[in-house]
């Protein structure tokens, strides 16, 4: 390794970053900040508060709280120079659990928290999936499950709407783990040992063929009749399922309440019951949901979440039931792209101050400073070039006006303004009233 | 290791994060966001654009671009599951260099970029220094050095002022590497081999005693006379130094121009010449600066930066001279604390909607939704509790008003508002005009 480094030091370094990570040039960063600003606004409108935590944690935290798949296959883990084993966070929930557990008694309920942490997972990079990503995490604890479940889905819908989506462009598929559990247990009499494997199989049903699904079901000791019942069940409405489950339909009745409220509040059909939504993680214990992009070119699960009962149990804390979801930035950026919702954002300079010689440096800097004191975004000249070239640069910066002082203006205590949208030019007195007149005009463009 | 994990899984997990990292609970995050919002505003007011890059890079990048101290002692490096050697970023400049090099021909000059990346270094945690920190990076390329140097220092001053600092609370100490180099070379005839070691010694002069400084100087073959000359030099004003260096005073004359302009623009003495400011990194080639906290309890360097000539050379790109600085979030937060500039920031909910039974759930949710559509921050009820308790919770949330519907209001198509600042109560029609009247009053509080 030491040799490799030595070699690279002399040869020319690669400008490529690590595979599955992204460089955010200003135009990319502007887009990300635009989306995040929308998210912050939505979350605050529901009374959620932002938190954050470390990008590395002790490996033990993830070993205890993350899924086996993450821990075994996707973790970036390593030892620090003091031999402590750490890992870069693959998800936020373990940190959230640790933080909540550390102050469980002090925190005012309900707890409405969100975060947009950067996470890393060792995966094969592909559309919608990178090794480094940001993930909006929204969690809610300490209330009545029905209210919490409705609210958390509303926030997810509003996040999508905030970037311009309409109800028709996405579907929120909801399910309750208890529904399928009741059916498998009471109606099909599947043994409890097999249920977790069967749930995992159902989770990937839309990615495999009907034949493979059958074969795999048979491996789990389901006969043809049970497979048929299962398939009928999976194609039933929530009302039909309540009938099928009879006295075991409590969870289905509860889920129907959520769907009905959400239909009424959103005045749309974007929330749908879908009995095959499982969610990968083992810790969900109640309602689960997944948001799908309805666009034919991007018809996939964008993100999802669900209810869990025992977030902080591993820390010896009291049970704290809650609900949450995680939405990757890659998913929402892809969604926006597929629906033509990506805005073209330009640099937002207001004014460029020009300069023509070494002698007017101080003068141009003073003007720049005064304008900034009025909260104007000003680019001061740091190159000397011809008037035309400086105008061109100002146009690239998105400036509305350029400000300069020629000989006339210098002699008469004025400054000149050229408005870039019209090409018109005018002068203002180089004193408080002149600056204020200029700024008033500038703000009206 | 596997055994350790197994054990932890069963025992109770620690709620402590990794040493030298921080948990940002909502109140901490609010403060951080407050400071970052100020920074964003200042940077945009100077026309700087935000960028960002990956939190890990190939180790080679840091091996080539970071200081030896960082690479050997402070790097969190590791192999991914595909045997590529990576490191968590200890600083942003190598990523900046890589990104600029990858698009060097396309980028419009001047390049005004900033970023606030999270970085990690394995260091002993202490006041002002953690293992995980955010660092504002501000860089400027493609202009005239004099203009660039002045502008970059102005941005640093404005960042401090934006959080409430006055000119008297900090000092920007500036120096030019060429000044001390010229003196050591021409006036003291120190051999070129020894100069780097001597610069490092000067860099830590304020942390060691005068005796140790003498002893170390002698080890570097300086006799008593030379040490005396050096000490006189280090206590000279920029004007005196221009005299001392005579025909080799070009860099000193250039630096004086910067100091004079900054004095005039800031109308203060906060920028001072200081010939012993070296900056740790070897790559600075021109003006360097360090910002000091003037508070007696926190009298230390907060952050600094300087001019470099060849940021992208290692990538085979053209020379691109520029100037930049890095300011840790810990430094600015400590600075604010020592000067009592830390604001008390509360949660910013506008309205809490109340609920008294299972029956008014949908009603309260509808009101919440309508108010949010008017950009009001609304907490919907997710618990059912007594009126008094709900009012208490609303007060904790910082709400200005609570909204509810009792029997009277239900019968008369009204909603009731209790203003929390006065305790007064009034009703509005549950229709567009009623909501708008309410919101108008709310915004005037």
């Amino acid at each position: 390794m030491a040799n490799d480094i030595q070699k690279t030091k002399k040869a020319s370094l690669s400008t490529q970053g690590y595979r599955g990570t992204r460089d955010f040039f200003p135009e990319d960063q502007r887009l990300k900040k635009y989306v995040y600003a929308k998210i912050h606004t939505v979350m605050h409108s529901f009374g959620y508060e932002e938190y954050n935590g470390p990008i590395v944690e002790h490996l033990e935290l993830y070993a205890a709280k993350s899924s086996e798949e993450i821990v075994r296959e996707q973790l970036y883990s390593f030892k620090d120079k003091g031999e402590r084993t750490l890992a870069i966070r693959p998800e936020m929930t373990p940190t959230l659990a640790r933080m909540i557990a550390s102050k469980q008694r002090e925190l005012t309920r309900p707890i409405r928290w969100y975060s947009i942490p950067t996470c890393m997972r060792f995966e094969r990079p592909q559309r919608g999936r990178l090794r480094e990503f940001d993930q909006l995490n929204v969690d809610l604890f300490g209330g009545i499950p029905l209210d919490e479940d409705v609210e958390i889905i509303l926030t997810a819908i509003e996040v999508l709407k905030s970037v311009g989506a309409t109800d028709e462009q996405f579907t929120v598929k909801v399910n309750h783990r208890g529904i399928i559990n009741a059916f498998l247990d009471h109606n099909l009499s599947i043994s409890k040992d097999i249920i977790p494997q069967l749930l995992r199989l159902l989770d990937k049903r839309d990615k495999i063929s009907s034949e493979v699904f059958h074969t795999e079901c048979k491996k789990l000791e389901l006969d043809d009749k049970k497979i048929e019942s299962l398939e009928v069940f999976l194609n039933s409405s929530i009302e039909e399922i309540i009938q099928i489950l009879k006295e075991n339909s409590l969870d289905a009745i509860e889920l129907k309440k959520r769907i009905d409220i959400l239909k009424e509040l959103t005045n749309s059909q974007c929330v749908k019951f879908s009995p095959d939504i499982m969610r990968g993680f083992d810790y969900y214990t109640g309602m689960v949901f997944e948001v799908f992009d309805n666009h034919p070119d991007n018809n996939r699960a964008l993100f999802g979440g669900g209810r869990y009962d025992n977030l902080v149990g591993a820390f010896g804390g009291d049970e704290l039931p809650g609900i949450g979801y995680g939405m990757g930035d890659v998913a929402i950026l892809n969604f926006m792209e597929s629906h033509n919702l990506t805005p073209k954002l330009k640099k937002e300079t207001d004014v460029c101050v020009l300069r023509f010689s070494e002698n007017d440096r101080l003068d141009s800097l003073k003007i720049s400073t005064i304008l900034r004191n009025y909260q104007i975004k000003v680019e001061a000249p740091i190159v000397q070039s011809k008037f035309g070239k400086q105008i061109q640069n100002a146009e690239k910066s998105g400036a509305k006006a350029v400000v300069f002082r020629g000989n006339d203006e210098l002699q008469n205590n004025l400054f000149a303004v050229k408005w870039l949208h019209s090409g018109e030019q005018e002068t203002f007195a180089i004193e408080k009233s002149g600056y204020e007149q200029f700024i008033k005009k500038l703000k009206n463009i």
Side-chain angles (χ1 to χ4, degrees), chain A residues 157 159-172 266 268-270 291-294 335 339 341:
Chain A
I157 291 172
V159 165
L160 290 172
K161 287 192 174 173
S162 75
V163 296
T166 63
D167 297 325
E168 296 78 36
Q169 292 174 330
F170 60 89
T171 304
V172 183
T266 62
S268 87
Q269 302 295 319
C270 70
V291 181
F292 282 76
D293 189 345
N294 292 346
F335 173 83
H339 293 280
L341 298 173

Side-chain angles (χ1 to χ4, degrees), chain A residues 107-383:
Chain A
L107 295 168
T108 311
R109 314 291 168 89
I111 299 169
R112 288 179 165 104
W113 278 18
Y114 79 101
S115 188
I116 316 180
T118 300
C119 302
M120 284 196 77
R121 293 185 196 176
F122 187 69
E123 295 195 271
R124 180 174 295 275
Q126 53 185 271
R127 180 169 165 86
R129 186 176 293 169
L130 291 171
R131 287 177 175 163
E132 184 194 38
F133 54 94
D134 291 351
Q135 191 191 52
L136 168 65
N137 277 254
V138 183
D139 289 274
L140 174 55
F141 311 90
I144 295 169
L146 172 52
D147 293 298
E148 289 187 341
D149 293 356
V150 167
E151 177 168 304
I152 213 84
I153 288 183
L154 280 181
T155 68
I157 291 172
E158 288 304 319
V159 165
L160 290 172
K161 287 192 174 173
S162 75
V163 296
T166 63
D167 297 325
E168 296 78 36
Q169 292 174 330
F170 60 89
T171 304
V172 183
K173 297 186 182 176
V174 298
N175 192 13
H176 190 298
R177 302 292 287 258
I179 294 175
I180 187 77
N181 281 339
F183 180 72
L184 296 176
D185 183 6
H186 298 290
N187 298 56
L188 295 195
S189 305
I190 308 284
S191 84
K192 285 223 157 52
D193 309 345
I194 291 177
I195 288 182
Q197 294 169 64
L198 195 53
L199 292 179
R200 265 189 282 275
L201 178 61
L202 289 174
D203 191 33
K204 59 178 179 183
R205 194 171 69 116
D206 62 343
K207 289 172 197 135
I208 56 180
S209 69
S210 176
E211 292 73 37
V212 174
F213 180 69
H214 265 76
T215 318
E216 293 290 320
C217 279
K218 285 197 166 161
K219 280 190 199 158
L220 296 173
E221 293 167 37
L222 270 70
D223 59 26
D224 283 335
K225 212 184 129 208
K226 284 187 178 177
I227 296 175
E228 205 199 313
S229 302
L230 180 58
E231 294 206 312
V232 167
F233 184 82
L234 292 175
N235 289 314
S236 302
S237 70
I238 187 77
E239 291 79 8
E240 288 163 346
I241 279 178
I242 290 170
Q243 298 306 318
I244 295 170
L245 292 177
K246 293 192 189 97
E247 71 274 19
N248 301 309
S249 66
L250 192 68
D251 290 333
I253 292 169
E254 278 294 312
L255 186 62
K256 186 175 180 310
K257 284 187 196 164
R258 287 150 175 78
I259 296 169
D260 290 344
I261 293 175
L262 285 163
K263 271 192 185 148
E264 181 136 3
L265 286 177
T266 62
N267 199 17
S268 87
Q269 302 295 319
C270 70
V271 178
K272 285 199 174 81
F273 171 62
S274 192
D276 55 355
I277 294 296
M278 293 295 137
R279 300 292 301 151
F281 294 124
D282 300 328
Y283 59 72
Y284 291 120
T285 51
M287 186 187 80
V288 289
F289 67 99
E290 243 167 41
V291 181
F292 282 76
D293 189 345
N294 292 346
H295 197 287
D297 299 343
N298 194 39
N299 199 335
R300 55 195 294 157
L302 294 168
F303 64 97
R307 168 163 291 282
Y308 40 82
D309 277 341
N310 203 3
L311 184 77
V312 297
F315 301 92
D318 301 336
E319 279 213 356
L320 181 65
I323 180 165
Y325 63 88
M327 185 190 76
D329 67 330
V330 190
I332 192 159
L333 290 170
N334 283 347
F335 173 83
M336 290 169 67
E337 216 178 281
S338 66
H339 293 280
N340 264 320
L341 298 173
T342 311
K344 289 204 191 347
L345 303 167
K346 288 194 176 162
K347 192 173 173 180
E348 283 183 353
T349 294
D350 296 316
V351 171
C352 288
V353 176
L354 312 185
R355 200 183 94 206
F356 306 108
S357 75
E358 281 289 307
N359 296 330
D360 54 2
R361 169 177 286 124
L362 192 60
D363 203 46
S364 67
L365 283 169
K366 280 184 184 169
I367 294 174
S368 305
T369 302
I370 290 166
L371 291 175
R372 281 189 200 112
N373 287 341
Y374 284 101
Q375 276 80 51
I376 304 299
K377 294 174 194 145
V378 182
E379 288 186 44
I382 60 167
V383 284

